[in-house]
Amino acid sequence: MIKLTAWLAFALAPLGASDFDVLIRNARVVDGAGNAWFRADVGMKGGRIVAVGRRGSASADRVIDAKERVVAPGFIDVHTHIEGSVEKNPRGDNFLLDGVTTVITGNCGSSELNLAAWFAKLEKLGLGLNVASLVGHNSVRAEVMGSANRAATPEEIRKMQALIDRAMRDGAVGFSTGLEYIPGAYSNTAEVVALAKAAAAHGGVYTSHMRDEGIHEIEAITEAVNVGKEAGMPVEISHLKVDRRSVWGASDQALALIERFRREGVDVVADQYPYDRASTNLGIRLPHWALAEGKIKERLADPPTRAKIAAEMKANLQEMGEPDYGFATVARFTSKPEYEGKTIPEVAKPRGHAADVDGQIETIFDLMNAGGAGMIYKLMGDADIERIMRWPWTAIASDGGIQQLAVGRPHPRSYGTNARVLAEYVRQRGVLTLEDAVRRMTSLPARTFGLKDRGLVKEGMAADLVMFDPAIVQDEATYAKPHQYATGFDCVIVNGKVAVDEGKATEARG
Ligand SMILES: [Zn+2]
């Protein structure tokens, strides 16, 4: 037996074993820290980066000639939603081909609750990406309280804390809220602080899809920061934006406030996706109270309540500065996929409703009665997007999920976030330098979430790398045709395994 094993080892690793498993030669290294690029070779062994420098005479099982292309740390996307989609495509092609090697999921208050069981299941599937998860407030609250529209009792707080404590012990990296969604919207700040403390006890980060991203954004930022201060944990503001036409431009006040908190010693940063449209459910257009206890159908069937919901929706439209629901496009409506890609005014007609706002609200009620819909909303202005992107502590993150080619009409951000920043905001508009953009995709998110051995091209770090030509890298996904992989990421390495080779996903599961 010993002899056979020795023979096998000999056969698999021929005499004079290589210096490296993989060696990338002739690279321009963008190290992730924000430093100016430098020329070097990068050697990897055992899933780690073991050499960065001139290694002209070294041998390797696989040598990749970068031919002056950029080699950067694999991108760390700290804002994703892969629950339910990773099982269908564990390799995560849309992320890999956008240069992503690590995702953090469980954002916006929505996560798996039994993380130990979920992680075990994912291990068996064989993942293409590194995955970490937050534990989500809405998932925890739904488990303990359903969609009750009231404050939690002390007993319910204890039960929710116990679920968060277990998730943190199972490896969660922090606690996320989605306070614009049901049932998180029914909670008060005291509840959020009490729950955040259960995650802070294990060194977790607090990430928040805030209560408001428009007219009341200043109050919402203050709440998020206060949760971090009171619970004693770092804060990441999720997908920072100004999502009301009526207050476009307000990002300067928002960033000034966050800067003030930072000067006072609060560790608060943000993430952002580089698009002018948001993507979420249809229910978010209705008043929160209308969705309580899952009784939306009953409420819509009661004429006075239906009229009250419609009146509040009209008032909200006015507050947003929108003339009608032309900003709202159906992304996913499984019972009538022909609606996908159409705006609410465009769907009103085939539903037999008038094209005016009243008819559009009736259309929304129809879709809610049919179980709701996935939506894309044109809500953000260019000036705010660029200003938020220039702020030094904004990480690039997609807010996307793992996609299956040709299923639904998802937001293009799942396919093209990083390529779009490099093509549009670095190459075309010059909003960021290449080195700074890469920093926001790598070492900044690694710092925030405590991923100590990722996010830099440096000896000893995990061998997560991406290789691309900054002159041609390009996002291809659009709102009209989202199922298009980004192009230009020629090589992506995950824990030393070549996961994308010559621009194509391989069978390797890093
Ligand atoms: Zn969100």
Side-chain angles (χ1 to χ4, degrees):
M1 198 61 201
I2 291 162
K3 265 183 195 162
L4 180 62
T5 312
W7 180 83
L8 268 174
F10 180 78
L12 293 172
L15 269 180
S18 315
D19 301 321
F20 305 116
D21 300 335
V22 184
L23 174 64
I24 302 180
R25 286 215 169 103
N26 307 315
R28 282 189 287 153
V29 172
V30 174
D31 69 359
N35 292 315
W37 62 262
F38 56 92
R39 289 197 169 83
D41 308 325
V42 181
M44 290 153 257
K45 205 170 175 71
R48 300 262 142 196
I49 297 169
V50 294
V52 181
R54 289 297 182 189
R55 287 293 186 278
S57 59
S59 64
D61 297 348
R62 171 85 198 269
V63 176
I64 296 166
D65 188 352
K67 296 181 184 153
E68 287 281 299
R69 279 171 289 187
V70 163
V71 168
F75 303 147
I76 299 170
D77 187 337
V78 294
H79 193 113
T80 72
H81 300 275
I82 67 164
E83 295 81 9
S85 60
V86 65
E87 292 86 349
K88 292 171 187 143
N89 179 1
R91 194 165 64 185
D93 302 48
N94 54 293
F95 282 117
L96 280 176
L97 289 162
D98 193 32
V100 175
T101 53
T102 299
V103 297
I104 295 179
T105 191
N107 279 279
C108 303
S110 177
S111 75
E112 293 287 337
L113 279 183
N114 187 343
L115 284 176
W118 192 57
F119 289 152
K121 187 173 146 196
L122 297 187
E123 284 292 351
K124 271 195 210 120
L125 289 172
L127 293 174
L129 305 160
N130 302 303
V131 173
S133 184
L134 297 149
V135 56
H137 178 212
N138 289 2
S139 302
V140 167
R141 200 179 208 266
E143 176 80 5
V144 173
M145 301 174 62
S147 53
N149 182 3
R150 59 172 174 81
T153 64
E155 176 59 19
E156 286 165 340
I157 297 266
R158 273 193 295 277
K159 282 186 183 159
M160 291 192 275
Q161 284 173 328
L163 289 172
I164 293 164
D165 179 73
R166 187 187 67 180
M168 292 301 296
R169 286 175 198 278
D170 288 348
V173 291
F175 175 59
S176 78
T177 54
L179 299 172
E180 215 179 357
Y181 294 121
I182 305 307
Y186 303 140
S187 68
N188 54 30
T189 308
E191 171 182 329
V192 178
V193 169
L195 301 184
K197 281 180 177 165
H202 300 277
V205 181
Y206 176 60
T207 75
S208 185
H209 173 145
M210 303 184 293
R211 264 182 225 277
D212 190 277
E213 300 176 326
I215 292 163
H216 305 290
E217 185 156 42
I218 291 294
E219 295 96 296
I221 290 170
T222 307
E223 181 187 33
V225 166
N226 282 337
V227 170
K229 269 197 211 168
E230 288 185 38
M233 63 206 296
V235 179
E236 170 121 351
I237 294 172
S238 297
H239 43 56
L240 183 59
K241 61 167 93 74
V242 177
D243 76 352
R244 297 277 188 285
R245 188 182 295 272
S246 56
V247 286
W248 278 1
S251 57
D252 55 353
Q253 290 107 282
L255 291 169
L257 177 66
I258 300 172
E259 269 301 327
R260 205 193 81 205
F261 284 124
R262 287 191 59 81
R263 281 196 300 275
E264 291 169 4
V266 183
D267 181 351
V268 49
V269 296
D271 59 65
Q272 177 192 35
Y273 51 85
Y275 293 88
D276 63 359
R277 300 188 195 184
S279 175
T280 184
N281 60 40
L282 182 61
I284 204 163
R285 298 267 71 87
L286 278 72
H288 294 319
W289 61 264
L291 304 171
E293 277 99 30
K295 289 185 179 152
I296 181 62
K297 283 189 195 175
E298 289 89 326
R299 292 192 181 98
L300 289 176
D302 174 51
T305 312
R306 186 181 179 102
K308 186 166 186 272
I309 295 171
E312 287 192 27
M313 287 170 69
K314 268 191 180 172
N316 183 252
L317 259 190
Q318 212 155 28
E319 190 195 72
M320 293 176 75
E322 297 291 344
D324 61 16
Y325 288 97
F327 69 92
T329 303
V330 177
R332 190 93 195 256
F333 188 65
T334 33
S335 62
K336 283 202 186 295
E338 62 268 31
Y339 292 174
E340 292 169 4
K342 290 198 163 72
T343 64
I344 291 293
E346 286 166 347
V347 175
K349 206 177 163 203
R351 304 282 324 172
H353 296 304
D356 62 5
V357 170
D358 290 315
Q360 292 170 26
I361 289 176
E362 287 300 314
T363 305
I364 291 173
F365 289 167
D366 286 356
L367 301 189
M368 289 306 293
N369 271 327
M375 302 293 295
I376 288 179
Y377 300 119
K378 166 78 178 87
L379 294 172
M380 287 83 88
D382 263 356
D384 288 315
I385 295 172
E386 288 193 11
R387 190 183 289 127
I388 291 167
M389 195 178 287
R390 280 197 182 94
W391 189 60
W393 316 120
T394 303
I396 306 300
S398 68
D399 198 6
I402 291 177
Q403 301 295 332
Q404 290 175 280
L405 268 185
V407 177
R409 197 178 301 224
H411 193 295
R413 64 194 181 190
S414 293
Y415 284 91
T417 287
N418 295 296
R420 179 167 166 76
V421 168
L422 296 169
E424 181 71 22
Y425 293 93
V426 174
R427 192 168 68 224
Q428 299 293 338
R429 301 195 203 179
V431 172
L432 301 176
T433 64
L434 171 66
E435 289 87 342
D436 194 32
V438 168
R439 178 185 66 86
R440 294 157 185 272
M441 298 163 180
T442 56
S443 70
L444 175 61
R447 177 216 73 104
T448 305
F449 289 86
L451 310 180
K452 294 197 173 74
D453 64 345
R454 293 178 203 273
L456 291 170
V457 180
K458 195 177 161 194
E459 284 99 341
M461 304 298 270
D464 291 348
L465 294 168
V466 57
M467 182 173 84
F468 61 98
D469 179 350
I472 60 168
V473 65
Q474 188 68 49
D475 58 311
E476 307 286 348
T478 62
Y479 296 111
K481 289 183 80 179
H483 291 288
Q484 316 277 342
Y485 294 122
T487 52
F489 294 111
D490 303 311
C491 179
V492 179
I493 296 178
V494 181
N495 294 314
K497 298 225 168 73
V498 180
V500 171
D501 202 358
E502 293 179 13
K504 296 249 174 342
T506 70
E507 289 307 313
R509 302 286 176 94

